[in-house]
Amino acid sequence: MTHVVIIGAYGSAGAAVAGELAEEPGIELTLIDDGEPGGGLCILRGCMPSKEVLSAGAHRFQARHDDRLVGDVPEVDLERTVERKDDHTLGWAGHRRAGIEELAERDDVRFVHDTARFVDPHTVRAGGEEFDADYVVVATGSSVNVPDVPGIDEVDFMTSADVLDATDFPDSGIVMGFGYIGMEMVPYLAEAGGMELTVVEHDDRPIDEADPEFGDAALELYRDHWDLEIPTNCHERRLEATDDGGVRLTVEFEDGGADGPTRESYEADQLFCFTGRRPTVEGLGLDNTEIAVEGE
């Protein structure tokens, strides 16, 4: 019998692996997850809730641009949007939990609702027990990557997860991170939240791994359709809280003149941090293994 421990069994990856291995003969499974309520990042804080929320802004955008429609453009009811999102995501998460619990009813499958930690490369402790495994699957998802910008500890910022729960927004914001997450969140903040935004772009254009024509077209569309200021070829150098409770960001431009790089400061009511994600490995005890984490 081959014993496999899956850490993060409620998540999309962990649940998929568990479902596949449960059908294989000669496999003993221990499924571990400490989620409350549990269901995985994608369902509770990622792909599914974001589409539920962002669609409200997309509908308003479509209403503004459809010349077959007349009258005032409707506003987005943020409270109702978040309420519907919560209702749907909790329902989906319940189905995920039920699936894992159903697997755990099998003779060779056990579920442990607790935090896991490696004791050594093939031993995991959870629920007051130690489990010796032939293989351990680490499927613990990702966390917000907070950039190491001086002053970031002195200001409040909102992540994409915070935006998905927000029922009101201030008048203005500064966005750090114009990758895939930022490109989804910025139109929602501008459309549904009615915000004036300054969006920092490190390169000539967003999504620089795509063809330049794609990024150039996206940049033009975003500037044309929403109240955005998008400084390009610049990097964050300092964050400060303003006297009125807002935030000030100083950036440095790459194309400085003969006197060197130039700097400029932007102020707004709220800072948004859409600067990517990193593996969630804190507390797993990876120091007790030979696992090397890339992308932190």
Side-chain angles (χ1 to χ4, degrees):
M1 186 76 74
T2 299
H3 184 204
V4 179
V5 171
I6 300 177
I7 305 175
Y10 276 150
S12 296
V17 173
E20 290 286 333
L21 292 181
E23 302 301 327
E24 296 293 327
I27 299 291
E28 177 188 0
L29 285 177
T30 299
L31 312 178
I32 306 175
D33 202 297
D34 61 359
E36 292 289 354
L41 174 68
C42 181
I43 291 177
L44 293 173
R45 312 298 290 174
C47 304
M48 293 185 180
S50 69
K51 302 310 178 285
E52 281 280 301
V53 169
L54 300 180
S55 62
H59 292 322
R60 186 177 189 276
F61 177 83
Q62 291 165 352
R64 285 202 296 119
H65 290 82
D66 192 331
D67 59 10
R68 300 169 299 173
L69 305 179
V70 297
D72 295 335
V73 177
E75 296 300 315
V76 175
D77 187 328
L78 295 174
E79 291 188 0
R80 185 174 298 179
T81 298
V82 172
E83 181 180 355
R84 179 181 295 185
K85 179 264 298 182
D86 288 342
D87 179 59
H88 288 180
T89 54
L90 288 175
W92 296 327
H95 286 297
R96 170 66 58 75
R97 295 194 301 273
I100 295 299
E101 291 163 4
E102 184 177 346
L103 284 180
E105 294 176 1
R106 303 189 183 195
D107 292 338
D108 296 327
V109 182
R110 181 181 177 187
F111 177 68
V112 180
H113 190 198
D114 195 22
T115 300
R117 180 177 175 82
F118 280 95
V119 175
D120 61 46
H122 289 276
T123 307
V124 174
R125 181 184 294 121
E129 300 182 56
E130 290 189 357
F131 301 92
D132 294 322
D134 297 288
Y135 300 96
V136 179
V137 177
V138 178
T140 48
S142 62
S143 304
V144 173
N145 178 49
V146 180
D148 187 22
V149 178
I152 197 165
D153 294 333
E154 304 169 12
V155 300
D156 293 326
F157 60 84
M158 295 179 70
T159 68
S160 58
D162 297 322
V163 171
L164 299 182
D165 289 336
T167 56
D168 63 85
F169 295 104
D171 294 331
S172 62
I174 294 173
V175 173
M176 296 195 309
F178 202 29
Y180 296 111
I181 298 173
M183 292 197 77
E184 281 195 328
M185 292 293 160
V186 164
Y188 177 71
L189 293 173
E191 191 72 47
M195 299 185 68
E196 298 177 5
L197 297 171
T198 299
V199 184
V200 178
E201 170 54 47
H202 293 171
D203 301 300
D204 290 330
R205 60 188 65 83
I207 316 298
D208 61 337
E209 63 268 34
D211 292 336
E213 294 80 5
F214 178 87
D216 289 339
L219 193 61
E220 182 179 355
L221 286 170
Y222 275 55
R223 284 171 168 162
D224 287 347
H225 289 303
W226 294 288
D227 190 1
L228 306 178
E229 183 171 2
I230 309 177
T232 60
N233 293 296
C234 60
H235 291 266
E236 301 89 344
R237 289 295 178 256
R238 177 70 190 173
L239 284 161
E240 303 169 276
T242 60
D243 293 338
D244 59 0
V247 61
R248 179 184 302 110
L249 172 65
T250 300
V251 302
E252 184 174 278
F253 290 87
E254 297 176 358
D255 56 349
D259 295 331
T262 59
R263 293 194 173 195
E264 187 166 346
S265 295
Y266 301 93
E267 293 188 8
D269 299 318
Q270 179 66 57
L271 176 66
F272 296 92
C273 190
F274 303 145
T275 46
R277 305 186 70 85
R278 55 179 174 75
T280 301
V281 295
E282 294 82 359
L284 280 178
L286 295 187
D287 291 344
N288 298 324
T289 75
E290 296 178 354
I291 298 174
V293 180
E294 298 180 3
E296 282 194 285

